């Protein structure tokens, strides 16, 4: 009898334990290096309170819409969405309003006018202009910080920085702002810049290898720096530059000794682990950390506030305009 009583109590207690809340996480394309790293970090947060369930939208807005429709039918209270096409979230937002679903958008920022349609919408991301300004700072430091007297990185000694820009996806807020403001920041600081070419390489490593191959064929060694909108493209450019012997690891120790061996400056944005490794071994000159760890922590904190605490009171981040949580970028160069 006593045993039966204990069993009943145990079953009762187990059934009273709260199950973790499942939150769907829709990634625009898991083939994207930065987003797959981002997703890994979110998965590491899975615990007793929240389980994030990943959906790979394979770079298709149609696939993403189908997932969203089903998830809303299934009454998930919150979706985390990395939109495939950030300009077409209007329909998604209207469905969210109809079904009373909260949304945290990440990484690909919807239009402000769409965000303003409902107060249950949030965006967690980073201000692309800041990444461009920091990338420009790395360039200015590289060239000696004095626009009137560039150092020896001004190879042809004309007082002008000759640059290639590898641009991300057309229309993506990061690609547009990083390209525009890296140039503007240099000009605002009185540096003269001659952009030899801006090529759209869609944030993609392989596309960047091909783009860089073509640049080298067309311009030879006229360029003095390669500015990539992200690390994947910077790494692609380096691969092409290695193939064309712009990097020469003469003693074959796997490291470019910048004082003794041949190299050219390539600068990225994102701070992927592999990019940090390449900074340490001398191939990548620098990058700007697009702080995914800080972003996923903010996402988790907001999820807990919205779904478990039902209040933003203990939410420890600044919310701008009632909807935006901005995470700072940081410069990363070899010290
Ligand atoms: C950017 C990132 C890129 C790419 C893109 C996808 O923030 O720098 O590498 O991942 O997001 O939307």
């Amino acid at each position: 009898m006593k045993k039966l009583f204990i069993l009943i109590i145990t079953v009762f207690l187990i059934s009273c334990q709260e199950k973790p809340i499942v939150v769907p996480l829709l990634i625009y394309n898991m083939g994207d290096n930065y987003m797959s790293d981002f997703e890994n970090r979110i998965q590491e947060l899975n615990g007793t309170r929240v389980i994030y369930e990943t959906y790979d939208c394979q770079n298709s807005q149609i696939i993403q819409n189908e997932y969203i429709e089903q998830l809303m039918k299934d009454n998930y209270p919150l979706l985390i969405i990395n939109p495939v096409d950030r300009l077409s979230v209007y329909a998604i937002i209207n469905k969210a309003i109809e079904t009373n679903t909260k949304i945290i958008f990440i990484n690909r920022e919807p239009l402000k006018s769409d965000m303003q349609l409902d107060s249950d919408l949030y965006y967690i991301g980073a201000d692309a202009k800041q990444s461009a300004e920091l990338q420009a700072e790395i360039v200015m430091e590289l060239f000696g910080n004095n626009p009137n007297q560039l150092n020896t990185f001004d190879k042809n000694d004309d007082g002008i920085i000759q640059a290639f820009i590898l641009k991300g996806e057309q229309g993506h807020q990061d690609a547009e702002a990083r390209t525009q403001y890296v140039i503007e920041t240099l000009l605002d600081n009185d540096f003269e810049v001659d952009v030899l070419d801006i090529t759209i390489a869609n944030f993609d490593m392989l596309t960047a290898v091909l783009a860089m191959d073509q640049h080298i064929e067309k311009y030879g060694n006229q360029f003095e720096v390669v500015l990539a909108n992200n690390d994947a493209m910077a790494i692609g450019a380096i691969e092409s530059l290695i193939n064309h012997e712009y990097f020469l690891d003469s003693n074959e120790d796997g490291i470019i000794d910048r004082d003794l061996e041949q190299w050219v400056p390539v600068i990225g944005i994102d701070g992927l682990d592999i990019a940090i490794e390449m900074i340490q071994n001398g191939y990548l000159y620098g990058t700007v950390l697009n702080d995914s760890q800080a972003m996923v922590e903010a996402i988790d904190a907001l999820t807990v506030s919205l779904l478990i605490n039902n209040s933003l009171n203990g939410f420890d981040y600044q919310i701008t305009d009632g909807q935006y949580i901005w995470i700072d970028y940081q410069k990363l160069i070899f010290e």
Side-chain angles (χ1 to χ4, degrees):
M1 186 63 187
K2 197 174 160 197
K3 273 192 188 153
L4 182 65
F5 181 70
I6 293 174
L7 185 68
I8 291 171
I9 293 288
T10 315
V11 169
F12 175 74
L13 286 177
I14 290 175
S15 65
C16 285
Q17 263 177 8
E18 278 188 35
K19 281 202 201 131
I21 296 179
V22 176
V23 176
L25 165 69
L26 293 100
I27 299 289
Y28 94 96
N29 179 11
M30 283 292 287
D32 177 302
N33 301 69
Y34 176 72
M35 287 318 299
S36 95
D37 169 77
F38 199 107
E39 190 268 346
N40 273 329
R41 292 174 194 270
I42 294 200
Q43 290 303 333
E44 278 165 20
L45 294 175
N46 276 348
T48 46
R49 293 194 297 179
V50 184
I51 300 276
Y52 297 96
E53 227 170 54
T54 303
Y55 294 79
D56 178 5
C57 303
Q58 300 161 53
N59 210 9
S60 157
Q61 190 60 61
I62 296 173
I63 294 180
Q64 185 165 67
N65 288 347
E66 282 170 2
Y67 281 142
I68 292 174
E69 199 156 318
Q70 189 55 49
L71 293 165
M72 286 182 178
K73 268 193 200 139
D74 294 344
N75 287 323
Y76 284 90
L78 170 70
L79 305 183
I80 299 174
I81 303 181
N82 173 211
V84 176
D85 178 3
R86 70 186 191 98
L87 303 177
S88 61
V89 297
Y90 178 80
I92 298 173
I93 290 177
N94 278 328
K95 284 222 175 76
I97 296 171
E98 260 170 53
T99 53
N100 213 2
T101 314
K102 300 180 198 318
I103 302 181
I104 303 176
F105 289 105
I106 56 168
N107 171 264
R108 296 156 84 91
E109 186 187 341
L111 295 175
K112 184 132 196 166
S113 51
D114 288 342
M115 288 293 288
Q116 283 168 342
L117 292 171
D118 190 31
S119 57
D120 273 343
L121 307 171
Y122 298 87
Y123 178 72
I124 296 183
D127 171 16
K129 186 176 178 201
Q130 187 191 36
S131 61
E133 288 165 351
L134 294 176
Q135 193 179 52
E137 274 179 28
I138 297 177
V139 178
M140 293 188 281
E141 283 156 19
L142 169 71
F143 282 85
N145 263 334
N146 181 353
N148 302 316
Q149 203 186 350
L150 302 185
N151 59 20
T152 50
F153 285 100
D154 178 20
K155 284 190 304 200
N156 60 1
D157 207 16
D158 65 351
I160 305 171
I161 300 172
Q162 271 76 30
F164 286 139
I165 294 189
L166 292 171
K167 189 175 172 186
E169 196 182 314
Q170 188 82 339
H172 188 302
Q173 83 279 345
D174 290 344
E176 299 303 330
R178 287 172 187 169
T179 304
Q180 177 187 348
Y181 292 113
V182 72
I183 304 169
E184 263 184 44
T185 309
L186 290 168
L187 298 178
D188 286 350
N189 284 279
D190 300 325
F191 283 83
E192 277 190 72
V193 193
D194 177 10
V195 180
L196 298 173
D197 226 305
I198 301 182
T199 313
I200 295 172
N202 285 330
F203 290 127
D204 179 60
M205 206 177 286
L206 271 182
T207 316
V209 178
L210 299 178
M212 198 65 217
D213 285 348
Q214 284 171 5
H215 287 338
I216 293 172
E217 198 173 307
K218 185 163 169 201
Y219 298 95
N221 66 359
Q222 287 175 48
F223 68 97
E224 292 162 343
V225 64
V226 179
L227 302 174
N229 277 179
N230 76 345
D231 285 345
M233 293 189 295
I235 294 166
I238 290 171
E239 189 180 319
S240 161
L241 290 161
I242 292 173
N243 294 340
H244 291 87
E245 299 189 340
Y246 282 77
F247 285 88
L248 267 184
D249 177 16
S250 327
N251 61 5
E252 296 183 2
D253 64 351
I255 292 172
I256 292 291
D257 180 337
R258 291 198 183 138
D259 295 325
L260 301 173
E261 292 171 325
Q262 196 161 301
W263 65 283
V264 287
V266 178
I267 305 171
I269 294 178
D270 274 346
L272 297 177
D273 288 348
I274 177 180
I276 293 172
E277 225 170 86
M278 287 178 80
I279 292 177
Q280 282 158 353
N281 64 24
Y283 281 91
L284 181 65
Y285 182 73
T287 186
V288 177
L289 179 69
N290 190 4
D291 200 342
S292 44
Q293 187 55 37
M295 286 186 225
V296 305
E297 284 165 17
I299 291 168
D300 195 47
L302 185 55
T303 300
V304 169
S305 298
L306 294 174
L307 296 187
I308 298 174
N309 303 341
N310 292 317
S311 154
L312 288 175
N313 278 344
F315 183 64
D316 221 7
Y317 294 78
Q318 189 185 337
I319 305 186
T320 308
D321 297 335
Q323 297 185 294
Y324 293 86
I325 291 108
W326 296 113
I327 302 294
D328 277 334
Y329 284 99
Q330 293 165 46
K331 268 186 287 184
L332 292 182
I333 49 170
F334 185 72
E335 302 290 351

